[in-house]
Amino acid sequence: MWKKKAKKTRVTGFDSDNSSGDFSEANHKVAEMLDLDPHQSNRTGKHNRETEIQENGIKRHSYRTSLPAPMFSRSDFSVWSILKKCIGLELSKITMPIVFNEPLSFLQRITEYMEHIYLINKACSHADPLERMQAVAAFAVSAVASQWERTGKPFNPLLGETYELTREDLGFRFISEQVSHHPPISAFYSEGLNKDFIFHGSIYPKLKFWGKSIEAEPRGTITLELLKYNEAYTWTNPTCCVHNVIIGKLWLEQYGTVEIVNHSTGDKCVLNFKPCGLFGKELHRVEGYIQDKNRKKLCVIYGKWTECLWCTDPTTYETYKKNEKRGGEQKKLKPSEDVIKSENDDADDMPEVQDTVQFIPGSKLLWRINCRPPNSSQMYNFTSFAVSLNELEKGMEAILAPTDCRLRPDIRNMENGNMDVASKEKERLEEKQRAARKERAKDEVEWHTRWFHQGTNPYTGTSDWLYSGGYFDRNFSDCPDIY
């Protein structure tokens, strides 16, 4: 096992007596799910449970807390020679050196939506539809939180590739499939083991290179159904942008408007993920509101997608903002020469991270990010949840579908630190996929997805990929040979 390097942990958000006790309550609930001390649960990411848990047919006591090998340095590599001809173009067809990847498939990255599943459980427990929407909004924000400082590119899934995850300790099971290669579309389906929710969707990330940055525009609908209340919520994710892909330190931001619609009540949550702006004051900030079907604002939501999310009533929020603006006008500062000069620098300097979210008295905490393991910087900035996703226990191979990501030799070798072998395997798999596509075209045979089918989202009326069922019956006899 490689040596772990200590890393300073940044404290996020404010602890306040005015938070209505929700912070303490939320932490205790998560801890109870994981059988952890609530005050120690997020320090190391270690899950020291005494009771056995059966995942994917394998009985186990805990999940790993480290990768087999540390992250490979990217400092000696330049991506400019590959990207310089791609400015303004869509990048899904561009082959990148493996050193810019992280040892996870995009299907596994999607599974990270489930890290904060306690928020879905919380939504299921609330009788008040406003509190349910607050929990769903927090879940939607938490779903992108794992991307913070994750500048490595997940592997493009091969056509027909799948990933499954069953977590009895967290109360869900999850299945995803790469249903299209050009354009790349990933479909997923998850359900509560207590039959209390269904979470599903399809994602088509549109990637573009803009000279200094790569922008990932999310396409596709995400749907959460709370079965007890016969409610369905839909939304799309914000746009993600990675800066300084050519020169300088990589940094990431999310921006755009996310609208979460409750199709049963007509309630809507509008969340504005703010771009960092000239002086970086808005970096990572999220602000929005929940309104009823008559467009009456019921509450205001604010925070950072990298830290925490709070809510308060609209009157309190407006009063606070007016007072803040009045005080700010008295302290206006002119931009310094250094700031003006930086606009013309070769690299887009990452703005200094501003002080943590300013707490508004009377606010209720909706969500707070989990601290990452102390050696996260040597593990592609993975969360504890992400570290466990590609773990392959003895005996699991006989249970999994032969198309599961855990069995991909290029990802497995990269995770183990065998970069040369991983690169060769990646090339082999891509060539195998191209040869299979040519063979199908020659024989005039169409590709048929195994676990999902194209249809219409029943709530939005838009095109979607829907789960066909049957995966967990484990009849994998007709799965394609993609590895």
Side-chain angles (χ1 to χ4, degrees):
M1 185 61 66
W2 48 279
K3 187 177 180 181
K4 299 179 183 179
K5 182 179 179 181
K7 180 183 178 183
K8 293 182 180 179
T9 302
R10 182 161 62 96
V11 178
T12 61
F14 280 97
D15 294 344
S16 171
D17 293 334
N18 295 320
S19 64
S20 304
D22 276 38
F23 172 53
S24 176
E25 177 188 350
N27 271 350
H28 277 275
K29 284 187 177 180
V30 179
E32 287 169 5
M33 290 178 194
L34 298 175
D35 293 332
L36 296 168
D37 178 350
H39 301 292
Q40 300 294 329
S41 60
N42 295 327
R43 297 297 179 186
T44 65
K46 294 182 179 179
H47 299 178
N48 297 320
R49 295 185 303 278
E50 294 181 0
T51 57
E52 287 188 341
I53 292 170
Q54 189 165 335
E55 179 190 350
N56 303 324
I58 306 298
K59 288 190 176 183
R60 57 194 306 166
H61 296 271
S62 61
Y63 298 92
R64 69 182 184 183
T65 56
S66 294
L67 296 181
M71 174 180 171
F72 194 82
S73 174
R74 299 176 180 141
S75 59
D76 297 329
F77 293 85
S78 172
V79 74
W80 175 240
S81 59
I82 298 168
L83 294 180
K84 62 184 179 182
K85 297 180 181 180
C86 307
I87 296 176
L89 301 180
E90 206 275 321
L91 293 181
S92 64
K93 298 182 180 181
I94 305 299
T95 299
M96 299 287 288
I98 200 169
V99 71
F100 294 102
N101 284 76
E102 63 177 24
L104 288 177
S105 167
F106 185 69
L107 297 182
Q108 291 166 312
R109 175 72 79 91
I110 292 174
T111 312
E112 293 183 58
Y113 289 169
M114 308 305 292
E115 179 173 357
H116 299 275
I117 190 179
Y118 78 91
L119 292 166
I120 294 182
N121 298 330
K122 197 171 185 179
C124 292
S125 69
H126 285 310
D128 182 357
L130 174 59
E131 290 186 303
R132 290 200 293 275
M133 178 62 92
Q134 289 171 349
V136 172
F139 176 74
V141 173
S142 76
V144 301
S146 68
Q147 296 183 38
W148 176 43
E149 296 187 329
R150 296 273 292 279
T151 53
K153 178 183 177 294
F155 282 71
N156 292 332
L158 301 168
L159 184 62
E161 184 173 312
T162 60
Y163 182 73
E164 69 161 283
L165 182 66
T166 300
R167 287 290 295 261
E168 293 189 5
D169 57 328
L170 300 179
F172 75 88
R173 62 184 184 182
F174 183 102
I175 172 64
S176 57
E177 178 182 7
Q178 190 69 5
V179 294
S180 173
H181 186 60
H182 289 307
I185 302 175
S186 307
F188 68 91
Y189 172 89
S190 181
E191 61 186 15
L193 298 180
N194 294 325
K195 307 298 181 185
D196 48 356
F197 75 87
I198 295 175
F199 178 54
H200 57 95
S202 53
I203 298 178
Y204 165 24
K206 189 82 170 179
L207 301 178
K208 283 191 175 181
F209 173 54
W210 295 113
K212 294 181 183 179
S213 61
I214 292 179
E215 186 180 74
E217 177 192 348
R219 299 189 179 185
T221 303
I222 295 174
T223 304
L224 173 64
E225 300 179 38
L226 303 184
L227 304 182
K228 178 180 177 181
Y229 301 102
N230 195 29
E231 287 183 338
Y233 302 79
T234 60
W235 68 91
T236 57
N237 282 330
T239 295
C240 177
C241 185
V242 179
H243 294 270
N244 294 339
V245 294
I246 304 303
I247 188 172
K249 182 181 179 181
L250 292 170
W251 62 279
L252 180 149
E253 65 174 327
Q254 308 261 4
Y255 47 76
T257 300
V258 173
E259 289 192 359
I260 306 170
V261 178
N262 183 331
H263 293 269
S264 300
T265 65
D267 293 349
K268 180 188 291 186
C269 177
V270 180
L271 296 173
N272 182 17
F273 286 71
K274 297 192 172 187
C276 71
L278 180 59
F279 305 111
K281 184 179 179 181
E282 304 297 330
L283 184 64
H284 305 326
R285 291 192 181 277
V286 180
E287 287 186 3
Y289 56 87
I290 296 175
Q291 65 180 31
D292 64 16
K293 62 181 179 180
N294 299 316
R295 298 189 177 181
K296 177 186 176 182
K297 285 189 179 180
L298 304 177
C299 78
V300 173
I301 294 175
Y302 66 95
K304 287 186 177 183
W305 62 268
T306 56
E307 293 187 18
C308 55
L309 209 62
W310 302 83
C311 72
T312 189
D313 67 274
T315 303
T316 300
Y317 184 80
E318 291 302 323
T319 301
Y320 179 85
K321 281 296 181 182
K322 286 179 181 178
N323 292 335
E324 185 182 50
K325 186 176 181 180
R326 192 176 299 120
E329 287 176 351
Q330 298 172 357
K331 300 178 180 178
K332 270 189 176 178
L333 298 175
K334 293 182 180 179
S336 68
E337 292 183 6
D338 290 339
V339 172
I340 295 173
K341 182 182 177 182
S342 69
E343 294 179 41
N344 300 317
D345 287 347
D346 291 334
D348 292 328
D349 292 336
M350 179 178 177
E352 282 190 31
V353 177
Q354 303 294 314
D355 289 340
T356 190
V357 178
Q358 183 63 49
F359 172 79
I360 300 174
S363 298
K364 179 175 71 172
L365 185 68
L366 299 179
W367 161 79
R368 188 184 297 272
I369 197 170
N370 291 335
C371 291
R372 295 187 177 178
N375 53 342
S376 178
S377 64
Q378 297 183 45
M379 301 189 299
Y380 307 87
N381 289 311
F382 281 3
T383 64
S384 296
F385 187 84
V387 167
S388 69
L389 291 177
N390 202 47
E391 187 173 8
L392 188 63
E393 291 280 318
K394 184 179 180 181
M396 192 182 287
E397 191 169 347
I399 304 292
L400 295 172
T403 50
D404 195 277
C405 302
R406 297 177 184 87
L407 305 178
R408 274 190 67 159
D410 51 354
I411 296 179
R412 180 63 56 194
N413 276 283
M414 182 180 185
E415 179 183 274
N416 291 331
N418 304 321
M419 300 297 288
D420 290 340
V421 177
S423 183
K424 291 177 182 178
E425 284 295 323
K426 181 172 178 285
E427 291 177 10
R428 181 185 67 81
L429 292 176
E430 290 169 349
E431 182 55 40
K432 182 182 173 101
Q433 182 171 236
R434 284 190 287 269
R437 183 170 64 248
K438 289 179 182 178
E439 191 68 24
R440 288 195 302 272
K442 178 182 176 182
D443 297 338
E444 297 183 345
V445 175
E446 290 188 2
W447 174 266
H448 293 287
T449 55
R450 182 66 178 84
W451 310 111
F452 293 81
H453 63 276
Q454 196 164 17
T456 301
N457 187 290
Y459 307 105
T460 64
T462 57
S463 178
D464 205 352
W465 285 84
L466 308 175
Y467 180 53
S468 301
Y471 178 88
F472 293 99
D473 294 337
R474 302 201 174 278
N475 178 12
F476 301 139
S477 58
D478 58 348
C479 285
D481 174 18
I482 61 176
Y483 301 144

